[in-house]
Amino acid sequence: MPVLSSSIFSCNPIKICCSKGDGKSGVARTYYSQRFANVVGAALIQLTLGCGARRYHLSIVCRRAKVSMSRFEPNKYIDYKTLQKNLDIIRKRLNKPLTLSEKIVYSHLDDPVNQDIGRGKTYLRLRPDRVAMQDATAQMAMLQFISSGLSRVAVPSTIHCDHLIEAQIGGEKDLARAKEMNEEVYDFLATAAAKYGVGFWKPGSGIIHQIVLENYAYPGVLLIGTDSHTPNGGGLGGVCIGVGGADAVDVMAGIPWELKCPKVIGVKLTGHLSGWTSAKDVILKVAGILTVKGGTGAIVEYHGPGVESISCTGMGTICNMGAEIGATTSIFPYNPRMKAYMDKTGRKDIAAVADEFQDLLVPDEGCEYDQLIEINLSLIGSCTNSSYEDMGRSAAVAQQALDHGLKCKSQFTVTPGSEQIRATIERDGYAKTLRDVGGIVLANACGPCIGQWDRQDVKKGEKNTIVTSYNRNFTGRNDANPATHAFVTSPEIVTAFAIAGTLKFDPERDSLTGSDGKKFKLKPPDADELPSQGFDPGEETYQHPPENSQGISVVVNPKSNRLQLLEPFDKWNKQDLEDMQVLIKVKGKCTTDHISAAGPWLKFRGHLDNISNNLLIGAVNIDNGKVNEVKNQITNKVGPVPETARAYQKEGINWVVVGDENYGEGSSREHAALEPRHLGGRAIIVKSFARIHETNLKKQGLLPLTFDNPADYDKVRPDDKVTITGLKEFSPGKPLACILKHKDGSQDTIVLNHSFNEGQILWFQAGSALNRMKELQK
């Protein structure tokens, strides 16, 4: 096990998220208000599958018969034959062995005959199979879709209510509180989903990634999701990519989706997992090798004999956290562990047809990777962890403590990943074991993982330590306390720490003392990968979109502080951008959490003007080393970043942000791009960008630019005026010139690079990708 810390913290709390949910059955009730029920009527309440308990769709498959993409869309079929046809075209063109990533991505090309293909160079136009959105990002995505003027989505799409449920005292009460607090937003999402043909998963259903793995991911699928951890679906052999809401709108509108042709990083796994090691340890090892930006612009493709020692849900955990290394996505080849998982989740028909097209779902022998890493799983030391297996392994550790009369010495919380997981661990006794050892079972939602944690045990600013099996340990990420020191590890290790109450505890070497005074060592946990009795589906939490939505209205109250219809951004005025003010020169790490904080701000995700009041409040100003404190260069007054941006905007002054490396890493939230555009920003100039954020900025009509010479970052002064020239000749591959006008009268001229292609330049000129979409409809 890796050494996490040498400090002892007998009074400090430990936090676990093995996955994410409710501690009691029967809590995933129909959430929507009577007002909504009256609007939508019985058509939305009567499910396609009929009344009563949830039923799985099972069928006997004849050779290459039609197979539904999911039981919720019986008339939408998996089309491996078309993918194979497209792949045959690509094979003839490229004449080389292909990686699995290339097979799946290229087989989804809009025009496989003529598409230019160059890893890391060309932009691909793709046709994804489906879209998934979580409730925080779905608000803006649906607002943009409404603005498009289209009547119905073109591809299967779903909304998942998992982000707005705040962890406080326990699953049932937290869920009821969230439904009351977020009623307006839930009603908006449910009616918008019904109106535009989108499936809707009610609050209490579970985390989007777990729901996707259980119901929508399958080998060979190309899925985009408005959450950075969408790659979780790679655990079932799909190419599942996190995007911003504007990208989702393109796909829902039936427009080909653009993606820079990804490079492919191969990770060859040998050996096998055993003892205290888990899938979480594998991705932590990979992250240690590649760092937070080592996967940028690439798909991480796992292969090798060690693959089959990892469960399907374990593969999902590994792919999920690939977001932490900047990867476009991660993927595993189709294998028996995936087949077993699909069998248990009611998708034997999909597994059967995947068997027939297995050549499409594994890499070619002799394929070449841009980078190759080899990891021996037998050397690894001891979310995103929302599987039955994860819960079982944690419960196995907890049971050993109970057998010796021990309970947790630190605060211990558990969040199941879906209603199905919650119901199954209740039935099989895991939830009881985790409660008996001192755990609190939270709602089926993201909770503290994304900052939705109403934490009462420590005051803000008080030093403390938490250990989680979440995927990020950014400062203040989980509890908004900058003094909280967070460690990330596997669920079973977190459980062991909670019982021991100290980070010095090593379960492989150290002993605990039972209630009888005798010492004992914890044994490595062992648990079933999948439930022997099958999954208990629990309460029905899915709302089917009706076939006819003409009678449904989507109403946004103009006085609402939670929701706001969008106004189009202004078009480019066909002039260079002159004498722009530097709003802030950011020092060091600047994630989307720094640019658009989550936590209490999540409630404003559907109201662009209100949420813009958090713009860059977490970014460190290089001028004074402080956060949310910049100098207004017109008035010379010091104030918050959003307030200063609004002051510049009121005076008609455009502004820019200057940043460091990997600017915008982390969550896919497009609010981090919408907010600067809304408040008068025109360009973001940095050393390098995270992939999703760079695309989000382009979509909103901003200029994401990079220093041709990274050392030019040092030439920019916080009080500079910035002019960007060459926009009249703006073209792919052609750098722009930038003039830095210093207050002392001197100037520096530097070169700025960009990655715009011709279509993206039209987004800039139109003012946004959404504006461009409307132009094409005329």
Side-chain angles (χ1 to χ4, degrees):
M1 185 189 77
V3 176
L4 299 181
S5 172
S6 58
S7 60
I8 299 176
F9 60 101
S10 58
C11 295
N12 289 338
I14 285 183
K15 175 82 181 171
I16 180 176
C17 173
C18 300
S19 30
K20 309 178 178 186
D22 251 315
K24 298 180 181 179
S25 62
V27 297
R29 305 183 186 93
T30 303
Y31 82 89
Y32 42 77
S33 65
Q34 185 60 45
R35 174 175 64 82
F36 167 71
N38 290 338
V39 172
V40 179
L44 291 182
I45 300 172
Q46 176 64 42
L47 301 178
T48 299
L49 299 181
C51 299
R54 187 184 304 183
R55 297 199 298 265
Y56 286 124
H57 170 69
L58 299 174
S59 62
I60 298 173
V61 182
C62 298
R63 180 170 176 79
R64 302 196 179 184
K66 287 185 176 180
V67 175
S68 298
M69 294 173 68
S70 82
R71 64 191 177 89
F72 301 105
E73 296 133 353
N75 298 320
K76 301 290 185 180
Y77 304 108
I78 296 174
D79 192 1
Y80 282 142
K81 292 181 71 173
T82 296
L83 299 185
Q84 187 67 64
K85 179 181 177 182
N86 290 345
L87 185 60
D88 290 343
I89 294 171
I90 296 299
R91 283 193 185 283
K92 290 178 181 178
R93 289 184 55 197
L94 300 184
N95 193 29
K96 67 171 186 176
L98 299 175
T99 67
L100 171 59
S101 308
E102 290 178 305
K103 287 184 176 183
I104 297 176
V105 172
Y106 300 164
S107 64
H108 284 84
L109 286 169
D110 180 55
D111 183 2
V113 175
N114 299 304
Q115 171 72 61
D116 289 336
I117 298 173
R119 283 190 197 171
K121 298 178 181 177
T122 61
Y123 280 89
L124 306 179
R125 290 167 60 83
L126 301 166
R127 292 285 185 179
D129 297 301
R130 69 179 310 118
V131 174
M133 299 170 281
Q134 40 96 332
D135 50 355
T137 51
Q139 294 171 63
M140 195 56 66
M142 293 309 295
L143 286 166
Q144 290 179 86
F145 188 83
I146 290 169
S147 297
S148 75
L150 299 171
S151 61
R152 200 167 180 87
V153 297
V155 302
S157 304
T158 50
I159 293 171
H160 304 258
C161 294
D162 64 353
H163 272 56
L164 300 180
I165 302 170
E166 187 177 48
Q168 190 183 56
I169 55 177
E172 186 171 7
K173 292 183 179 179
D174 290 349
L175 181 58
R177 179 168 168 261
K179 289 177 181 178
E180 181 179 352
M181 291 175 61
N182 303 308
E183 180 183 48
E184 179 185 16
V185 172
Y186 290 151
D187 281 359
F188 165 73
L189 291 174
T191 51
K195 179 72 173 178
Y196 297 104
V198 177
F200 181 73
W201 288 85
K202 303 168 191 174
S205 302
I207 307 166
I208 178 174
H209 316 303
Q210 183 68 28
I211 298 295
V212 166
L213 198 70
E214 292 173 352
N215 298 280
Y216 298 118
Y218 60 81
V221 70
L222 177 59
L223 179 153
I224 67 166
T226 60
D227 190 286
S228 57
H229 293 108
T230 300
N232 191 79
L236 256 181
V239 171
C240 303
I241 301 175
V243 299
D247 278 346
V249 172
D250 279 355
V251 177
M252 290 191 291
I255 296 172
W257 172 59
E258 286 194 345
L259 175 72
K260 195 167 191 178
C261 187
K263 296 181 179 180
V264 187
I265 297 173
V267 179
K268 183 178 181 180
L269 301 178
T270 59
H272 64 279
L273 294 179
S274 61
W276 286 92
T277 60
S278 73
K280 193 63 167 270
D281 300 304
V282 177
I283 184 55
L284 290 174
K285 178 69 173 179
V286 173
I289 295 171
L290 290 176
T291 75
V292 295
K293 65 175 184 176
T296 301
I299 295 178
V300 178
E301 183 174 309
Y302 294 87
H303 63 284
V307 165
E308 292 191 18
S309 77
I310 305 172
S311 67
C312 177
T313 50
M315 296 177 205
T317 293
I318 292 169
C319 292
N320 183 309
M321 272 195 66
E324 309 316 314
I325 57 175
T328 300
T329 191
S330 301
I331 190 171
F332 280 83
Y334 180 56
N335 62 69
R337 306 297 281 269
M338 295 181 187
K339 182 180 176 68
Y341 183 76
M342 286 191 286
D343 286 351
K344 283 290 186 181
T345 51
R347 293 176 287 174
K348 288 185 178 181
D349 48 357
I350 297 179
V353 75
D355 287 342
E356 294 182 19
F357 287 89
Q358 188 158 359
D359 179 66
L360 178 65
L361 308 174
V362 295
D364 288 341
E365 186 174 348
C367 65
E368 295 183 358
Y369 296 99
D370 295 281
Q371 182 179 353
L372 182 62
I373 299 167
E374 185 165 336
I375 296 176
N376 187 330
L377 297 177
S378 306
L379 299 173
I380 297 276
S382 159
C383 160
T384 58
N385 305 110
S386 51
S387 72
Y388 181 82
E389 180 185 29
D390 288 318
M391 291 296 195
R393 286 173 68 88
S394 293
V397 175
Q399 187 60 56
Q400 292 181 63
L402 291 170
D403 291 344
H404 289 84
L406 298 184
K407 288 193 173 184
C408 293
K409 293 182 179 178
S410 299
Q411 182 187 14
F412 179 52
T413 61
V414 182
T415 49
S418 69
E419 169 60 9
Q420 177 171 277
I421 293 295
R422 183 208 61 79
T424 306
I425 66 171
E426 287 286 354
R427 181 198 68 194
D428 293 352
Y430 290 166
K432 182 179 186 301
T433 299
L434 293 168
R435 285 195 202 94
D436 288 348
V437 84
I440 298 173
V441 180
L442 299 174
N444 308 327
C446 296
C449 181
I450 58 163
Q452 282 287 62
W453 186 10
D454 184 17
R455 191 176 181 191
Q456 303 292 328
D457 57 305
V458 297
K459 296 179 180 179
K460 194 168 184 178
E462 181 181 342
K463 291 185 178 180
N464 72 102
T465 298
I466 60 174
V467 181
T468 82
S469 66
Y470 296 128
N471 40 36
R472 288 181 178 147
N473 63 346
F474 300 162
T475 299
R477 164 79 177 184
N478 304 125
D479 62 359
N481 184 357
T484 296
H485 198 51
F487 292 110
V488 175
T489 186
S490 65
E492 51 265 48
I493 291 294
V494 176
T495 308
F497 281 157
I499 293 164
T502 172
L503 286 180
K504 293 184 71 175
F505 180 68
D506 181 345
E508 291 188 320
R509 298 189 181 115
D510 299 333
S511 298
L512 296 171
T513 302
S515 60
D516 58 2
K518 296 181 180 179
K519 291 187 177 295
F520 71 97
K521 289 182 68 175
L522 292 173
K523 297 177 182 178
D526 186 34
D528 291 338
E529 175 183 341
L530 297 166
S532 59
Q533 302 177 57
F535 285 103
D536 182 340
E539 296 291 320
E540 179 61 64
T541 56
Y542 179 73
Q543 171 187 291
H544 287 265
E547 291 296 325
N548 187 339
S549 60
Q550 288 185 349
I552 298 173
S553 300
V554 182
V555 179
V556 175
N557 187 335
K559 295 183 179 179
S560 171
N561 72 345
R562 297 286 302 269
L563 296 166
Q564 180 187 48
L565 292 175
L566 298 175
E567 294 292 333
F569 290 132
D570 61 320
K571 294 184 178 182
W572 174 55
N573 64 5
K574 300 183 179 180
Q575 302 296 318
D576 286 335
L577 294 168
E578 297 185 350
D579 293 334
M580 296 182 289
Q581 201 68 57
V582 175
L583 175 65
I584 183 173
K585 182 179 179 182
V586 178
K587 178 183 178 181
K589 193 181 191 72
C590 191
T591 71
T592 49
D593 281 77
H594 295 90
I595 303 167
S596 176
W601 292 94
L602 279 173
K603 63 178 175 286
F604 297 126
R605 284 287 181 88
H607 197 293
L608 180 55
D609 195 58
N610 282 348
I611 199 171
S612 293
N613 289 323
N614 75 2
L615 175 66
L616 287 158
I617 62 175
V620 177
N621 181 2
I622 199 171
D623 196 32
N624 56 19
K626 298 180 180 180
V627 298
N628 202 25
E629 189 174 298
V630 295
K631 185 178 181 181
N632 183 320
Q633 300 299 330
I634 308 303
T635 65
N636 289 322
K637 293 182 179 179
V638 173
V641 179
E643 183 179 301
T644 306
R646 289 185 187 275
Y648 290 155
Q649 185 180 45
K650 186 177 180 180
E651 296 297 325
I653 300 170
N654 293 327
W655 50 263
V656 303
V657 172
V658 177
D660 213 315
E661 295 278 6
N662 208 29
Y663 184 90
E665 68 172 282
S667 170
S668 68
R669 68 191 64 154
E670 65 180 333
H671 297 78
L674 282 159
E675 292 174 33
R677 183 72 164 98
H678 177 65
L679 296 186
R682 294 294 176 179
I684 312 294
I685 306 170
V686 302
K687 293 180 182 178
S688 64
F689 284 102
R691 175 189 62 86
I692 299 177
H693 188 59
E694 182 180 25
T695 300
N696 285 346
L697 291 168
K698 292 177 183 178
K699 287 276 184 178
Q700 303 307 333
L702 282 153
L703 289 172
L705 305 170
T706 56
F707 295 104
D708 181 63
N709 179 1
D712 287 343
Y713 168 87
D714 298 322
K715 293 180 180 178
V716 182
R717 303 174 190 175
D719 57 1
D720 279 350
K721 288 190 175 180
V722 178
T723 293
I724 296 173
T725 64
L727 291 175
K728 293 180 182 179
E729 297 80 33
F730 195 13
S731 59
K734 185 177 181 180
L736 297 171
C738 176
I739 303 169
L740 304 174
K741 299 178 182 179
H742 309 306
K743 270 202 169 179
D744 62 8
S746 63
Q747 294 186 2
D748 279 302
T749 300
I750 61 175
V751 175
L752 300 177
N753 297 325
H754 66 85
S755 61
F756 281 81
N757 62 26
E758 291 180 355
Q760 293 168 347
I761 290 173
L762 293 176
W763 298 346
F764 167 74
Q765 293 172 344
S768 71
L770 188 57
N771 287 358
R772 178 59 181 161
M773 183 191 299
K774 290 181 179 179
E775 288 179 354
L776 294 173
Q777 292 177 30
K778 294 178 181 178

